[in-house]
Coordinates of all heavy atoms in Angstrom, one line a residue:
M379 N 96.3 113.2 70.6 CA 95.1 113.3 71.4 C 95.3 112.6 72.7 O 96.1 111.7 72.9 CB 94.0 112.5 70.6 CG 93.2 113.3 69.6 SD 91.9 112.4 68.9 CE 92.6 111.3 67.8
A380 N 94.6 113.2 73.7 CA 94.8 112.6 75.0 C 93.9 111.5 75.3 O 92.9 111.1 74.6 CB 94.4 113.8 76.0
K381 N 94.3 110.7 76.2 CA 93.6 109.5 76.6 C 92.9 109.7 78.0 O 93.5 110.3 78.9 CB 94.5 108.3 76.7 CG 95.2 107.9 75.3 CD 94.3 107.3 74.4 CE 95.0 107.1 73.0 NZ 94.2 106.3 72.1
M382 N 91.8 109.0 78.1 CA 91.0 109.2 79.4 C 90.6 107.8 79.9 O 90.2 107.0 79.1 CB 89.8 110.1 79.2 CG 89.1 110.5 80.4 SD 87.6 111.4 80.1 CE 86.4 110.0 80.0
I383 N 90.7 107.8 81.3 CA 90.1 106.5 81.8 C 89.3 106.9 83.0 O 89.6 107.8 83.7 CB 91.2 105.5 82.2 CG1 90.6 104.1 82.5 CG2 92.1 106.0 83.4 CD1 91.6 103.0 82.4
S384 N 88.1 106.3 83.2 CA 87.3 106.5 84.4 C 87.1 105.2 85.1 O 86.8 104.2 84.5 CB 85.9 106.9 83.9 OG 86.0 108.2 83.3
C385 N 87.4 105.2 86.4 CA 87.1 104.1 87.3 C 85.7 104.1 87.7 O 85.1 105.2 87.9 CB 88.1 104.2 88.5 SG 88.0 102.8 89.5
P386 N 85.1 103.0 87.9 CA 83.7 103.0 88.4 C 83.5 103.7 89.8 O 82.4 104.1 90.0 CB 83.4 101.5 88.6 CG 84.4 100.7 87.7 CD 85.6 101.6 87.7
C387 N 84.5 104.0 90.4 CA 84.4 104.7 91.7 C 84.3 106.1 91.6 O 84.1 106.9 92.5 CB 85.5 104.3 92.6 SG 87.1 105.1 92.2
G388 N 84.5 106.6 90.3 CA 84.4 108.1 90.1 C 85.8 108.7 89.7 O 85.8 109.9 89.3
W389 N 86.8 108.0 90.0 CA 88.1 108.5 89.7 C 88.3 108.6 88.2 O 88.0 107.7 87.5 CB 89.1 107.6 90.3 CG 90.6 107.9 90.1 CD1 91.3 108.7 91.0 CD2 91.5 107.3 89.1 NE1 92.7 108.7 90.4 CE2 92.7 107.9 89.3 CE3 91.3 106.4 88.1 CZ2 93.8 107.5 88.5 CZ3 92.3 106.1 87.3 CH2 93.6 106.7 87.4
T390 N 88.9 109.7 87.8 CA 89.1 109.9 86.3 C 90.4 110.4 86.1 O 91.0 111.2 86.9 CB 88.0 110.8 85.8 OG1 86.8 110.4 85.9 CG2 88.3 111.0 84.3
L391 N 91.1 109.9 85.0 CA 92.5 110.4 84.7 C 92.5 110.7 83.3 O 92.0 110.0 82.4 CB 93.5 109.4 85.0 CG 94.9 109.7 84.6 CD1 95.5 110.7 85.7 CD2 95.7 108.5 84.4
I392 N 93.0 111.9 82.9 CA 93.3 112.3 81.5 C 94.8 112.4 81.3 O 95.5 113.1 82.2 CB 92.6 113.6 81.1 CG1 91.0 113.4 81.2 CG2 93.0 114.0 79.7 CD1 90.3 114.6 81.0
S393 N 95.3 111.7 80.3 CA 96.8 111.8 80.1 C 97.0 112.0 78.6 O 96.5 111.4 77.8 CB 97.5 110.5 80.5 OG 98.8 110.4 80.0
P394 N 97.8 113.0 78.4 CA 98.3 113.3 77.0 C 99.3 112.4 76.5 O 99.8 112.4 75.4 CB 98.8 114.8 77.0 CG 99.3 114.9 78.4 CD 98.5 113.9 79.3
Q395 N 99.8 111.4 77.4 CA 100.9 110.6 77.1 C 100.5 109.2 76.6 O 101.4 108.4 76.3 CB 101.8 110.5 78.3 CG 102.5 111.9 78.7 CD 103.2 111.8 80.0 OE1 104.1 111.0 80.1 NE2 102.9 112.6 80.9
G396 N 99.3 109.0 76.4 CA 99.0 107.7 75.7 C 98.6 106.5 76.7 O 98.7 106.7 77.9
N397 N 98.3 105.4 76.1 CA 97.9 104.2 76.8 C 98.8 103.7 77.9 O 98.4 103.3 78.9 CB 97.6 103.0 75.8 CG 96.3 103.3 75.1 OD1 95.8 104.4 75.1 ND2 95.8 102.3 74.5
D398 N 100.1 103.8 77.6 CA 101.0 103.1 78.6 C 101.0 103.9 79.9 O 101.0 103.4 81.0 CB 102.5 103.2 78.1 CG 102.7 102.1 77.0 OD1 101.8 101.2 76.8 OD2 103.7 102.2 76.3
D399 N 100.9 105.3 79.8 CA 100.8 106.2 80.9 C 99.6 105.9 81.7 O 99.6 105.8 82.9 CB 101.0 107.6 80.5 CG 101.1 108.6 81.7 OD1 102.1 108.3 82.5 OD2 100.4 109.6 81.8
I400 N 98.4 105.7 80.9 CA 97.1 105.5 81.5 C 97.2 104.2 82.4 O 96.8 104.2 83.5 CB 96.0 105.4 80.5 CG1 95.9 106.8 79.8 CG2 94.8 104.8 81.0 CD1 94.8 107.6 80.6
K401 N 97.8 103.2 81.7 CA 97.8 101.9 82.4 C 98.7 101.9 83.7 O 98.3 101.3 84.7 CB 98.5 100.8 81.4 CG 97.6 100.4 80.4 CD 98.2 99.4 79.4 CE 97.6 99.4 78.1 NZ 98.5 98.7 77.1
K402 N 99.7 102.7 83.6 CA 100.6 102.8 84.8 C 99.8 103.4 85.9 O 99.8 103.0 87.1 CB 101.8 103.7 84.5 CG 102.9 103.7 85.4 CD 104.1 104.5 85.0 CE 103.8 106.1 85.0 NZ 104.7 106.8 84.3
H403 N 99.0 104.5 85.6 CA 98.2 105.2 86.7 C 97.1 104.4 87.2 O 96.7 104.5 88.3 CB 97.9 106.5 86.2 CG 98.9 107.6 86.2 ND1 99.7 107.8 85.1 CD2 99.4 108.3 87.1 CE1 100.6 108.7 85.3 NE2 100.5 109.1 86.7
I404 N 96.3 103.7 86.3 CA 95.2 102.9 86.8 C 95.7 101.7 87.7 O 95.1 101.4 88.7 CB 94.4 102.3 85.6 CG1 93.0 101.7 86.1 CG2 95.1 101.4 84.8 CD1 92.0 102.7 86.6
Q405 N 96.9 101.2 87.4 CA 97.4 100.2 88.2 C 97.7 100.7 89.7 O 97.5 100.1 90.6 CB 98.7 99.6 87.6 CG 98.3 98.4 86.7 CD 99.5 98.1 85.7 OE1 100.6 98.5 85.9 NE2 99.1 97.4 84.6
I406 N 98.3 101.9 89.7 CA 98.6 102.5 91.0 C 97.3 102.8 91.8 O 97.2 102.5 92.9 CB 99.5 103.9 90.7 CG1 100.8 103.5 90.2 CG2 99.5 104.7 92.1 CD1 101.6 104.7 89.6
H407 N 96.4 103.4 90.9 CA 95.1 103.7 91.6 C 94.3 102.4 92.1 O 93.9 102.4 93.2 CB 94.1 104.4 90.5 CG 92.7 104.5 90.9 ND1 92.3 105.4 91.9 CD2 91.6 103.8 90.7 CE1 91.1 105.3 92.2 NE2 90.6 104.2 91.3
A408 N 94.4 101.3 91.3 CA 93.7 100.1 91.7 C 94.4 99.6 92.9 O 93.7 99.1 93.9 CB 93.7 99.1 90.6
K409 N 95.7 99.7 93.0 CA 96.4 99.1 94.2 C 96.1 99.8 95.4 O 95.9 99.3 96.5 CB 97.9 99.2 93.8 CG 98.8 98.2 94.6 CD 100.2 98.2 94.0 CE 101.2 98.1 95.2 NZ 102.4 98.8 95.0
D410 N 96.0 101.2 95.3 CA 95.7 102.1 96.4 C 94.2 102.1 97.0 O 94.0 102.0 98.1 CB 96.0 103.5 96.2 CG 97.5 103.7 96.1 OD1 98.3 102.9 96.5 OD2 98.0 104.9 95.8
H411 N 93.3 102.0 96.0 CA 91.9 102.1 96.3 C 91.0 100.9 96.1 O 90.1 100.8 96.7 CB 91.3 103.2 95.3 CG 92.0 104.6 95.6 ND1 91.4 105.4 96.6 CD2 93.0 105.2 95.2 CE1 92.3 106.6 96.6 NE2 93.2 106.4 95.7
H412 N 91.6 99.9 95.4 CA 90.8 98.7 95.2 C 91.6 97.5 95.4 O 91.8 96.6 94.4 CB 90.2 98.7 93.8 CG 89.4 100.0 93.5 ND1 88.2 100.4 94.1 CD2 89.7 101.0 92.6 CE1 87.8 101.6 93.6 NE2 88.8 102.0 92.7
P413 N 92.3 97.3 96.5 CA 93.2 96.1 96.7 C 92.3 94.8 96.6 O 91.2 94.9 97.0 CB 93.6 96.3 98.0 CG 92.8 97.3 98.7 CD 92.2 98.1 97.7
G414 N 92.7 93.9 95.8 CA 92.0 92.7 95.6 C 91.3 92.7 94.3 O 90.9 91.7 93.7
L415 N 91.1 93.9 93.7 CA 90.6 94.0 92.3 C 91.7 93.7 91.3 O 92.7 94.5 91.3 CB 89.9 95.3 92.1 CG 89.2 95.5 90.8 CD1 87.9 94.9 90.8 CD2 89.1 97.0 90.5
T416 N 91.5 92.8 90.4 CA 92.6 92.7 89.4 C 91.9 92.9 88.0 O 90.9 92.4 87.6 CB 93.1 91.3 89.4 OG1 92.0 90.3 89.4 CG2 94.0 91.0 90.6
E417 N 92.5 93.8 87.4 CA 92.1 94.2 86.0 C 93.2 93.7 85.1 O 94.4 94.0 85.2 CB 91.9 95.6 85.8 CG 90.6 96.2 86.5 CD 90.7 97.6 86.9 OE1 91.8 98.0 87.2 OE2 89.6 98.2 87.0
T418 N 92.8 92.9 84.1 CA 93.8 92.5 83.0 C 94.0 93.7 82.1 O 93.3 94.7 82.0 CB 93.2 91.4 82.2 OG1 92.1 91.9 81.4 CG2 92.8 90.2 83.0
E419 N 95.2 93.6 81.4 CA 95.6 94.7 80.5 C 94.5 94.9 79.4 O 94.2 96.0 79.0 CB 96.9 94.4 79.9 CG 97.6 95.6 79.4 CD 99.1 95.4 79.3 OE1 99.8 95.0 80.3 OE2 99.6 95.5 78.2
D420 N 93.8 93.8 79.1 CA 92.7 93.8 78.1 C 91.6 94.7 78.6 O 91.0 95.5 77.9 CB 92.2 92.4 77.8 CG 92.4 92.0 76.4 OD1 93.3 92.6 75.7 OD2 91.6 91.3 75.9
E421 N 91.2 94.5 79.8 CA 90.1 95.2 80.4 C 90.4 96.6 80.5 O 89.5 97.5 80.3 CB 89.8 94.6 81.8 CG 89.0 93.2 81.7 CD 88.9 92.4 83.0 OE1 89.9 92.6 83.9 OE2 88.0 91.6 83.1
V422 N 91.6 96.9 80.9 CA 92.0 98.3 81.1 C 92.0 99.0 79.7 O 91.5 100.1 79.5 CB 93.4 98.4 81.7 CG1 93.9 99.9 81.6 CG2 93.4 97.9 83.1
E423 N 92.4 98.3 78.7 CA 92.4 98.9 77.3 C 91.0 99.3 76.9 O 90.8 100.3 76.4 CB 92.9 97.8 76.3 CG 94.3 97.5 76.4 CD 95.2 97.9 75.3 OE1 94.7 98.7 74.5 OE2 96.3 97.6 75.3
K424 N 90.0 98.5 77.3 CA 88.6 98.7 77.0 C 88.0 99.9 77.7 O 87.1 100.6 77.2 CB 87.7 97.5 77.3 CG 87.8 96.4 76.2 CD 87.1 95.2 76.6 CE 87.5 94.0 75.9 NZ 87.2 92.8 76.6
M425 N 88.6 100.3 78.9 CA 88.2 101.4 79.6 C 88.8 102.7 79.2 O 88.3 103.7 79.6 CB 88.6 101.2 81.1 CG 87.8 100.1 81.9 SD 88.7 99.5 83.4 CE 88.4 100.9 84.4
I426 N 89.7 102.6 78.4 CA 90.5 103.9 77.9 C 89.7 104.5 76.7 O 89.3 103.8 75.8 CB 91.9 103.6 77.4 CG1 92.8 103.0 78.6 CG2 92.6 104.8 76.9 CD1 94.1 102.6 78.3
K427 N 89.5 105.7 76.8 CA 88.8 106.5 75.7 C 89.7 107.6 75.2 O 90.6 108.1 75.9 CB 87.5 107.1 76.3 CG 86.5 106.1 76.7 CD 85.2 106.9 77.1 CE 84.1 105.9 77.6 NZ 84.2 105.8 79.0
T428 N 89.6 107.8 74.0 CA 90.3 109.0 73.4 C 89.5 110.3 73.5 O 88.3 110.3 73.2 CB 90.6 108.7 72.0 OG1 91.3 107.6 71.8 CG2 91.5 109.8 71.3
V429 N 90.2 111.3 74.1 CA 89.4 112.6 74.2 C 90.1 113.8 73.4 O 91.2 113.6 73.0 CB 89.4 113.0 75.7 CG1 88.4 112.1 76.5 CG2 90.6 113.0 76.4
Ligands
ZN622 ZN1 88.6 103.5 91.5

């Protein structure tokens, strides 16, 4: 099953590769678009949905 994450800014990512891939991409996204925002791994996990 694919995993999906939605950022509050409207950015959405769907990955068939699982949580590790999602976490990698949300970190890149946060760094590029929300510098100063820090999300813990726990918070990121809560944002991940299975689709
Ligand atoms: Zn965002």
Side-chain angles (χ1 to χ4, degrees):
M379 274 191 285
K381 301 285 179 173
M382 185 185 93
I383 194 159
S384 297
C385 184
C387 74
W389 178 88
T390 301
L391 177 83
I392 297 172
S393 171
Q395 292 173 57
N397 283 17
D398 286 349
D399 192 52
I400 292 271
K401 283 179 205 164
K402 194 175 74 192
H403 282 95
I404 189 77
Q405 272 159 17
I406 294 166
H407 169 77
K409 207 172 141 215
D410 284 353
H411 296 270
H412 311 288
L415 182 82
T416 49
E417 282 152 333
T418 66
E419 205 156 300
D420 241 30
E421 284 166 337
V422 171
E423 294 247 8
K424 281 179 204 152
M425 290 162 73
I426 298 173
K427 294 183 180 95
T428 302
V429 289

